[in-house]
Amino acid sequence: MATILNARAWDLVDSIVDNPGDIRTDVEELDCGTRILDFGVKASGSLSAGLLLAKVCTSGLADVTIHTGSIGNVNWPMVQVATDFPVRACLFSQYAGWEVKTKDYFAMGSGPMRANAAREDLFHRLGYTEQFYCSVGVLESDQLPTSQVVREIAHKAKVEPRNLILLVAATSSIAGSLQINARSVETGLHKLYELGFDVHRIKSATGTAPLSPVAADTITAIGRTNDAILYGGMINLYVTGDDASIEEIGPKVPSIASTDYGRPFAEIFKAAGGDFYKIDPALFSPAQVVFQNIETGKVHWFGKCNEDLLRQSFGIRD
């Protein structure tokens, strides 16, 4: 089994390139040789496409499934993530830490191409980079990238364009929404990383979040997918080390610790002028975080699910 993130993701994607129609996706090869897999821009995508997209985001180091849950009295699908490699799967691969931005194009980039590029401080502080000849990335965008954009990504990822595969999905698509809903553990780990917690203490993790309804426009989609995590995301972290540090940092982790907590994300986003950086960064975290200390046997939990806000965001009426 390959331990290189880009190699693992390449194997996952390569298996569906010849039959993209099976999951309602399309494949296009650009003149530079890069293959673009449309998971939800012009293609309709599907639940299967969303599950695969989430697995590629984590380089195949997490199991991503859909199971039945509820929001209040309403039967509702939940996206569940489980991994025994949380730092590699979520921080080195899944985290959308690459802002792909040109004059005519914008996307949030995730996937193992980030490890090849190693442009973020996170990789240097946590001691991980890759130098693999092939690379795979996931772009959250409502546009497919041009050859010029792709060449720039390949250059930064240190690969030839022909050795790059990019999967693209709009937030307002089935697959695009699902892959964001599969980030419950990732948002929790990144929050802990930003708070200075030693994330290498986290040995395994599980998380669930409701599958947000597909939205008719980008702003509503951004609102619903974020609300799914902020108000409905619940994670369990299996950690080592002392309990005192967990008790100290725990209250700061869930989204309820933020001054922006308590409104649908679409409202918060509009009030910030559509600028994520004007929103309190403490908001971006799951609704509830449970630490299970596998050395001491103690369990610590912080935060809670907010079903009222989920119902409001998702348009669930009595």
Side-chain angles (χ1 to χ4, degrees), residues 189-238:
L189 259 70
H190 191 262
K191 180 70 167 291
L192 284 163
Y193 165 76
E194 291 290 341
L195 290 171
F197 186 80
D198 179 6
V199 292
H200 290 299
R201 289 174 59 184
I202 306 168
K203 303 304 180 183
S204 297
T206 65
T208 60
L211 179 57
S212 54
V214 174
D217 61 90
T218 300
I219 297 300
T220 303
I222 290 173
R224 287 177 171 178
T225 52
N226 275 277
D227 289 335
I229 303 294
L230 306 180
Y231 301 121
M234 296 181 286
I235 66 173
N236 270 260
L237 306 177
Y238 297 79

Side-chain angles (χ1 to χ4, degrees), residues 21-71:
D22 290 349
I23 55 173
R24 302 204 294 262
T25 60
D26 292 326
V27 178
E28 177 186 3
E29 184 170 325
L30 302 184
D31 56 4
C32 61
T34 296
R35 284 177 288 179
I36 304 295
L37 279 63
D38 182 354
F39 272 53
V41 179
K42 297 178 181 179
S44 62
S46 61
L47 294 175
S48 294
L51 291 171
L52 177 60
L53 194 61
K55 291 175 183 177
V56 171
C57 281
T58 62
S59 298
L61 289 174
D63 293 322
V64 185
T65 56
I66 298 175
H67 67 86
T68 300
S70 64
I71 298 177

